[in-house]
Amino acid sequence: MQEIDLFPSRIFKSKIDPSVYNKKEIVDILIKNYQKDESKDRNAWDDDSNLHHYYNDWFNAKYDKVPLDKLNVVYENKVNDLMKQINFCQNIDYKWTFENITVNAKHMSAHDHVGFADGYQCVYSGIHYMKFNQDIHSPTTFFNPLMVSQFNCLTDNLVKILSNSSIENSNYFSSWQIPVQEDDFIFFPAYLKHNVISQIDDDYRITGVINVRLSAV
């Protein structure tokens, strides 16, 4: 039978070759900066989360500057590849921004990345699992945007009989985690709410985050 995905929240997954940018240098500086922060709470984002990250805090003099020039080139290429995957009906302009790097999130509240900036709508976001131990670290948790997941009378029994390892069934589950490994990179629709649960401190979970914005020409 022909399979047709209706209303898909399509996610694009690929690898980033660690040899094409200065991964070790970046990771070493990120860990050093993390260790400088005795509270391990460098959060300029909200009043609830507990994490060490760079959002709105890239130029904090307390921390060593992170050399991102080579990584920016890698991300630029990833964004260009994404644009080739999307079907547009007219000419568009796009740009992307390096939003954040998180180190060992103890808790990151559920949020999305929807919004306008300078007339550009954020439509996709990317996560780079720069340092990730799949034996102890958790992938990002995404929350189902479809209304069907909110009707317990429809989903309670189904989630008991549908395989929770087949992503084709994800529309009936309230949340889902995409399996990832170190050096994986995923693009996801900016409207997908997501969070990060508490991570183990003795190995460093490090992720880079970018937003991709579009505007009609």
Side-chain angles (χ1 to χ4, degrees):
M1 291 184 288
Q2 180 185 9
E3 293 184 9
I4 300 174
D5 291 326
L6 185 64
F7 307 128
S9 293
R10 184 160 291 118
I11 290 177
F12 299 90
K13 182 179 176 182
S14 61
K15 282 284 188 185
I16 287 181
D17 182 351
S19 69
V20 300
Y21 74 102
N22 52 326
K23 175 179 177 176
K24 185 179 185 307
E25 181 185 15
I26 291 175
V27 167
D28 286 348
I29 292 175
L30 293 171
I31 292 174
K32 180 181 177 182
N33 286 343
Y34 177 81
Q35 292 172 341
K36 284 183 179 181
D37 192 347
E38 293 181 1
S39 69
K40 302 298 185 290
D41 182 10
R42 179 187 177 184
N43 177 24
W45 180 50
D46 67 7
D47 295 326
D48 179 48
S49 300
N50 184 358
L51 66 159
H52 177 99
H53 71 161
Y54 288 72
Y55 183 69
N56 285 342
D57 202 34
W58 289 102
F59 305 107
N60 191 325
K62 176 180 177 181
Y63 305 100
D64 292 359
K65 183 179 179 181
V66 185
L68 297 175
D69 290 350
K70 293 180 180 179
L71 187 55
N72 281 331
V73 174
V74 175
Y75 289 172
E76 175 79 19
N77 291 332
K78 286 293 180 185
V79 172
N80 291 339
D81 289 342
L82 172 68
M83 292 299 102
K84 297 174 184 177
Q85 297 288 326
I86 301 175
N87 295 319
F88 297 104
C89 65
Q90 65 181 90
N91 293 331
I92 57 97
D93 188 24
Y94 63 91
K95 61 182 180 179
W96 67 275
T97 51
F98 201 147
E99 294 291 329
N100 197 7
I101 299 175
T102 60
V103 183
N104 276 12
K106 296 181 179 64
H107 167 64
M108 192 172 193
S109 299
H111 62 288
D112 59 53
H113 292 189
V114 172
F116 279 92
D118 301 323
Y120 288 74
Q121 171 69 50
C122 185
V123 292
Y124 265 92
S125 297
I127 303 175
H128 175 201
Y129 294 88
M130 196 180 307
K131 192 174 189 307
F132 186 86
N133 184 338
Q134 63 190 100
D135 293 327
I136 63 173
H137 291 150
S138 301
T140 307
T141 300
F142 293 99
F143 296 95
N144 192 344
L146 297 177
M147 290 186 65
V148 64
S149 67
Q150 303 172 28
F151 292 100
N152 294 336
C153 60
L154 294 176
T155 59
D156 275 358
N157 290 324
L158 284 173
V159 297
K160 296 175 183 176
I161 61 175
L162 292 173
S163 170
N164 61 6
S165 62
S166 296
I167 198 167
E168 295 84 1
N169 297 329
S170 61
N171 55 312
Y172 292 106
F173 288 79
S174 60
S175 64
W176 202 270
Q177 292 182 334
I178 306 296
V180 292
Q181 299 176 340
E182 184 164 303
D183 300 316
D184 278 350
F185 187 99
I186 63 171
F187 280 113
F188 63 93
Y191 61 75
L192 278 184
K193 286 190 179 295
H194 53 287
N195 75 353
V196 180
I197 63 174
S198 180
Q199 303 296 311
I200 295 174
D201 275 334
D202 59 2
D203 198 359
Y204 297 94
R205 181 190 189 275
I206 299 175
T207 56
V209 178
I210 70 172
N211 282 338
V212 183
R213 295 181 171 87
L214 301 181
S215 178
V217 174

